[in-house]
Amino acid sequence: MDMNPPPTLSLCSSESLSSSSSTASSEEANYKTVSSDHLSTMFGNKLKTAAGSHKSMIVQAARKGQKELNDKFPRIRLAQLPTPLEFCPRLSEALGGVEIYVKRDDCTGLATGGNKARKLEWLMAEAMQQGAEYIMTQGATQSNHARQTAAACAKLGKKCHILLEDRTGSKDVNYNENGNVLLDDLFGATREKRSGGLDMNAELEAVAEKYRKEYGSKVYTIVGGGSNPTGALGYVNCVYELVQQFDEMNLDVDYICHATGSAGTQAGLVTGLKAVGSDIALMGFGVRAPKEKQEENVFNLAKRTAEKIAKPGIVERSDVVADCSYVGEGYGIPAESTIEAIRMFAELEGLLLDPVYSAKGAAGLIDYCRRGIFKKGQKIVFLHTGGNAALHGYINSFK
């Protein structure tokens, strides 16, 4: 249910399938006399046909899923989609011949881009459907989600109120007033600060209830990161988009990897992959919680997301994998590997990462390549979640 007319999407056609011209009976009659090369070609063609048929089924499932999402759930077009899928030749060479592609969700267009635009298409549509006047959300001081929510509210004429949590304890002026914080203000959002360690979603609901009672406002609250089943639809849809891009580019992808924090992006991705029957491995590189907690958060949200799209039970616990070895000292605090990743992507490919999310995910990607977990010749898609506006809050990290 698009609340705006949908743009024309350029969808690839499924690859033509070849079939063996030989019948089973003739193969059985001649198997003793054919050469080993012929046998290899014959059965190799059958395997290719089977693989091609499976890929075609995945592409068809993606197209069908995309239509079902748009028919069933309200959506407002806020992002520029599909985002590009780019090969990174210099980065690939520097990392030993692992073939690295970047899914450019830093190019979604809303307020400098980022992954939250995909989630907000569904969240803001739900808010509009409910007649909300105020949109409230929460995040850390340099929250990309808060920035894109404020921009979406400005675009749609809604009031925006944000709770910002001090998770780092930084007193740096740039961190507290520049970057995403400056943009929050420019988009007209009002904001409150909270000390670190609070239950921020509970704080959010308390403020929303105050606005409802004292001002009679219709308030729609968005959990941190937009990470609920409605927001996760954005990354179910991203899988449907990716599958069609893989088909168009004739890519057999081995892994998709990305930064994982509030769980919505990874939950949507794993749900989408299971929904289309893809066996592409998914790896989330954590930015905050320990591995067990992160995986449990993602799995719980993925289960609810699968139920929302009427495919309960498709995600198993073993489908959710996170590596939280690249967090460093804590959330929002760049490690040496974080800064190295930012410089490497910038110097080799002209791509800007952010110090909180995407660079910690990229640090994991770099290390996996160096350690041979991702191997030469394998095709790895790194989902760039955006956030480069936060760089302006971290000037001292690069001195």
Side-chain angles (χ1 to χ4, degrees):
M1 261 187 310
D2 270 344
M3 299 182 72
N4 293 339
T8 302
L9 295 179
S10 177
L11 303 181
C12 54
S13 60
S14 58
E15 62 184 53
S16 59
L17 305 180
S18 61
S19 59
S20 172
S21 59
S22 302
T23 64
S25 58
S26 63
E27 286 173 5
E28 185 175 359
N30 294 326
Y31 82 97
K32 289 183 179 179
T33 59
V34 296
S35 68
S36 59
D37 286 345
H38 180 72
L39 279 173
S40 177
T41 300
M42 181 172 65
F43 289 109
N45 286 341
K46 282 192 170 185
L47 288 172
K48 288 179 182 178
T49 299
S53 178
H54 180 60
K55 286 172 63 178
S56 179
M57 290 173 63
I58 291 172
V59 174
Q60 290 170 19
R63 289 177 177 156
K64 180 181 178 183
Q66 206 167 46
K67 183 178 186 304
E68 288 175 348
L69 283 186
N70 285 315
D71 288 346
K72 186 175 181 180
F73 302 105
R75 179 185 183 189
I76 293 177
R77 298 299 178 108
L78 296 170
Q80 300 297 316
L81 303 178
T83 55
L85 179 62
E86 297 180 359
F87 178 57
C88 296
R90 299 190 69 221
L91 186 62
S92 298
E93 182 181 5
L95 293 175
V98 180
E99 297 180 24
I100 298 169
Y101 293 78
V102 174
K103 177 62 171 168
R104 297 290 306 277
D105 273 15
D106 59 319
C107 296
T108 53
L110 180 68
T112 78
N115 63 327
K116 304 304 190 276
R118 287 189 186 269
K119 299 178 182 182
L120 286 164
E121 290 196 327
W122 310 87
L123 291 162
M124 293 300 293
E126 189 173 84
M128 299 280 281
Q129 191 178 60
Q130 294 178 15
E133 301 166 309
Y134 264 97
I135 310 298
M136 293 189 183
T137 195
Q138 59 89 4
T141 301
Q142 284 292 333
S143 170
N144 296 316
H145 165 67
R147 178 244 310 159
Q148 288 201 291
T149 301
C153 288
K155 189 176 181 67
L156 298 173
K158 298 297 178 183
K159 298 173 184 177
C160 182
H161 189 66
I162 301 167
L163 274 63
L164 295 180
E165 179 188 7
D166 180 11
R167 295 181 190 169
T168 67
S170 173
K171 304 302 180 186
D172 184 273
V173 173
N174 272 304
Y175 179 79
N176 287 285
E177 297 182 11
N178 205 339
N180 283 318
V181 181
L182 173 62
L183 296 183
D184 295 340
D185 291 345
L186 291 178
F187 294 131
T190 54
R191 51 189 168 90
E192 301 178 26
K193 289 187 177 182
R194 293 291 187 274
S195 58
L198 298 175
D199 181 340
M200 287 299 292
N201 285 327
E203 292 287 316
L204 177 66
E205 289 301 330
V207 174
E209 193 58 29
K210 174 184 176 182
Y211 272 66
R212 292 181 185 114
K213 287 182 177 178
E214 293 188 11
Y215 309 117
S217 301
K218 293 182 179 179
V219 181
Y220 179 87
T221 57
I222 301 176
V223 297
S227 292
N228 61 18
T230 299
L233 293 178
Y235 274 90
V236 175
N237 193 53
C238 181
V239 168
Y240 299 157
E241 179 180 303
L242 274 168
V243 163
Q244 294 174 79
Q245 287 179 314
F246 297 162
D247 185 57
E248 187 176 48
M249 297 169 69
N250 196 29
L251 283 181
D252 291 321
V253 174
D254 295 288
Y255 286 89
I256 298 171
C257 63
H258 62 101
T260 181
S262 60
T265 297
Q266 189 170 9
L269 289 172
V270 71
T271 304
L273 288 168
K274 300 303 290 186
V276 299
S278 173
D279 59 0
I280 296 172
L282 179 68
M283 171 59 73
F285 291 112
V287 302
R288 187 182 186 190
K291 174 182 173 66
E292 295 77 13
K293 179 65 173 175
Q294 184 65 30
E295 290 182 348
E296 197 62 30
N297 289 345
V298 173
F299 179 54
N300 289 335
L301 180 52
K303 287 192 295 184
R304 294 163 58 207
T305 304
E307 290 168 1
K308 189 174 183 72
I309 64 171
K311 296 182 184 295
I314 60 172
V315 180
E316 299 179 0
R317 178 63 181 81
S318 59
D319 296 320
V320 177
V321 183
D323 186 336
C324 300
S325 305
Y326 306 93
V327 175
E329 294 181 23
Y331 176 90
I333 302 173
E336 287 185 13
S337 61
T338 313
I339 301 302
E340 181 196 21
I342 291 171
R343 291 194 180 281
M344 182 176 284
F345 271 66
E347 291 173 4
L348 294 178
E349 297 292 346
L351 296 176
L352 294 176
L353 306 177
D354 83 291
V356 181
Y357 289 96
S358 57
K360 291 192 176 182
L365 164 69
I366 291 165
D367 190 46
Y368 270 42
C369 292
R370 287 172 174 167
R371 290 164 55 198
I373 298 173
F374 294 158
K375 303 182 187 305
K376 182 177 181 179
Q378 284 189 321
K379 293 177 174 60
I380 313 298
V381 171
F382 176 71
L383 175 64
H384 188 341
T385 49
N388 61 60
L391 286 169
H392 301 283
Y394 284 86
I395 294 173
N396 289 332
S397 296
F398 296 91
K399 291 182 178 177

